[in-house]
Structure formats: C-alpha cells, structure tokens
Amino acid sequence: MILVNGVETDYIKADDRGLLYGDGLFETVAVRDSKPRLLEMHFQRLRDSAAKLSIQGFDTDAIAKDIDLIISKSGYHDAVVRLTITRNSSERGYASLSVEANVVISISPLPEYISEKRQTGIEVIFSEVLLNKDSYLAGIKHLNRLTQVLVANEAASKGVDEALVFSEDGIVIEGSKSNVFFVYGDQIKTPYIKDYGVAGIMRQRVIDVAQDAGYRLEEANLTLDHLLDVDAVFVTNCVIGIWPVASLNERVFNNFDCARKLQQILIEDMA
C-alpha cells in the first residue's frame, strides 16, 4: 500500500525531482505492535535535514496521521514504513524554488529474518567501495544512495549480510544500511559522523543508553589497525535494531554480551 500526499495511489509524476536528481529525503520507520517506533526522532532528523536542503511544504503532524492510517489499513502488526519527501516537480534543470513537497508513504511486512539474526549474529565483510568526503551532506539521509547500492550488491554477491565501508583516507564509517559499533572491554567505540555517513536514529539510541548497560561510549575515527584487538562488533538501524556480528572478514566473534544487553534495554524501540 502506498500513499502519495495522503491519497492511496502508486502514481508519481515522471518529472519529480526525487526521481530525476535524488532531490529529497527519506526515513525508514519500524512498526511494532501496530505502532511506529521513535517517530519523533525520525521527524526531527527529517526537519533538520529539510532545513539544510531548503525543502519545505510538508507537515509532520499530517504525515503522522497518514502513517497511522497506512498501518491500520495494511493490517500489519510488525512492519516497515518508508517515508519519502521530494522537492516535487519543476522546470528542467537543477535549480528549483518549489515550496510544495511530495510526500510518499509506503508499508511492507517486517521480514522474518530480522529477529532471527538478532540471535544468530551476521556475517560482515570490508567493502572495496570507498566513501568520498562530503561534509555538507554528511549525516543526512538523502535520496542519493548509489554508494550504498554498490556496497549492498557487493555484500549480496559474496553471500554475507553486510559490508563495512571506509573513507578514502582509511577511516571506517558505516555499513551499507547500518551504523557500526566496536566493543573493547567496557568501552564501546563508534565512527564519528562528520564528513561521511548517516547519523542513524538507532545509533543515537545506543549512544543514549550505553551507560545504562555498563559501558563507556566514545565517538572516534577508527582505522583498520584499531580493529585488531576488538572484542565484539554490532551494527544498528531502526529496522534491524541491533545485530551482533558473528564474523568480520572471516574473523569469528562469539561474544554477544554487549549487544544482548543493549537489545534488552532498547527492546521497546525495535520492531
């Protein structure tokens, strides 16, 4: 089921700027027991990102009602809602002063493997794709996702669940669809999101509650050398929640303790 500007349809104009230029933003919202999780955090990131890109003409109160509507009509109890905001259509060319956004909301059932991999852990590799520095767009979940497509395809072609990407200067940044955390005893380190990557909602929740789980958390620039003595690894996003890493480039990890503690603390945030 899809809503476009509150109307049930799968039609959007071929000259929409989201299609032509990736001119827009998106949020992926977990639904558990028919309720969207962490919705206000998603809306705050959306508003902040839209302000930075000068995208306007949408109302998060109306969007919240449409999300409730699409969940109700779908009949799904555990699901994934995709919210896409584009700058609408315009005359040909990059420039646009459009003041009316297009709002597209879709829903799909939560895949069964999501909860399974929270228990078993996942296989991860290092991607051959490198991220280019983009300080202005860093942290924003914009529609330009070609790098993530390439990384995800690389992981799929090698039969693993996720691939971690490095910056051009050798700093580990994130996965194709996730943020990553490294555990060293009672300390957790996660890549600093400044010039690269997406500032994930679940990433922020882990940062918020790490101390409650008995861990000190630090945002840091981490190279491959920093990963040699890591005790455990886990990845996060709002749909998967927290996935422990069972292997990273064939190195096996059996210690899921930190991931388990955080899963328990954040259980109400996850689908």
Side-chain angles (χ1 to χ4, degrees), residues 130-259:
L130 298 179
L131 286 179
N132 294 318
K133 187 174 182 179
D134 193 347
S135 300
Y136 191 80
L137 294 179
I140 295 177
K141 204 163 184 178
H142 53 75
L143 294 182
N144 297 273
R145 296 288 115 190
L146 271 180
T147 299
Q148 287 69 32
V149 169
L150 292 174
V151 176
N153 285 345
E154 180 184 4
S157 70
K158 295 181 179 179
V160 299
D161 302 290
E162 179 62 297
L164 300 184
V165 290
F166 288 77
S167 67
E168 53 199 348
D169 50 356
I171 305 297
V172 63
I173 304 298
E174 62 187 1
S176 67
K177 58 180 176 290
S178 64
N179 293 115
V180 62
F181 295 80
F182 302 96
V183 184
Y184 304 82
D186 66 350
Q187 185 174 37
I188 303 172
K189 294 185 179 182
T190 191
Y192 186 51
I193 303 294
K194 180 181 178 182
D195 297 321
Y196 309 86
V198 172
I201 300 297
M202 189 56 67
R203 173 184 183 270
Q204 185 58 53
R205 290 296 294 131
V206 169
I207 292 172
D208 291 342
V209 305
Q211 188 171 354
D212 295 338
Y215 293 89
R216 296 176 291 117
L217 192 142
E218 176 188 353
E219 295 177 82
N221 288 327
L222 303 169
T223 65
L224 193 57
D225 287 343
H226 292 112
L227 309 186
L228 296 177
D229 59 347
V230 67
D231 297 321
V233 184
F234 62 90
V235 298
T236 66
N237 72 31
C238 277
V239 174
I240 67 175
I242 298 171
W243 275 354
V245 171
S247 69
L248 176 58
N249 261 31
E250 299 183 350
R251 178 183 171 185
V252 175
F253 293 94
N254 297 311
N255 181 357
F256 293 177
D257 291 349
C258 180

Side-chain angles (χ1 to χ4, degrees), residues 4-148:
V4 179
N5 299 324
V7 177
E8 187 172 347
T9 179
D10 57 4
Y11 169 82
I12 191 166
K13 292 178 67 175
D15 63 354
D16 185 275
R17 292 180 61 86
L19 174 64
L20 295 181
Y21 308 118
D23 190 0
L25 302 161
F26 75 101
E27 295 287 333
T28 308
V29 181
V31 177
R32 183 184 183 201
D33 296 331
S34 301
K35 295 181 180 179
R37 302 293 163 165
L38 303 173
L39 192 56
E40 185 48 45
M41 292 184 72
H42 284 286
F43 282 163
Q44 188 58 57
R45 180 172 64 180
L46 183 67
R47 287 188 289 262
D48 291 344
S49 299
K52 194 167 187 179
L53 298 183
S54 299
I55 294 176
Q56 52 189 319
F58 62 92
D59 179 354
T60 52
D61 289 337
I63 291 172
K65 292 178 181 178
D66 283 342
I67 289 175
D68 287 341
L69 174 63
I70 202 170
I71 293 171
S72 175
K73 293 191 73 171
S74 73
Y76 298 140
H77 296 289
D78 299 323
V80 181
V81 166
R82 158 82 182 223
L83 166 62
T84 304
I85 307 288
T86 79
R87 204 186 301 267
N88 211 316
S89 302
S90 68
E91 298 294 327
R92 185 182 179 280
Y94 288 133
S96 173
L97 299 178
S98 174
V99 295
E100 195 65 38
N102 268 335
V103 179
V104 182
I105 304 173
S106 61
I107 191 168
S108 56
L110 185 75
E112 290 185 6
Y113 69 81
I114 297 291
S115 58
E116 293 172 1
K117 291 184 184 295
R118 288 179 189 157
Q119 303 306 313
T120 63
I122 62 169
E123 294 182 73
V124 180
I125 59 170
F126 295 132
S127 175
E128 297 178 4
V129 178
L130 298 179
L131 286 179
N132 294 318
K133 187 174 182 179
D134 193 347
S135 300
Y136 191 80
L137 294 179
I140 295 177
K141 204 163 184 178
H142 53 75
L143 294 182
N144 297 273
R145 296 288 115 190
L146 271 180
T147 299
Q148 287 69 32

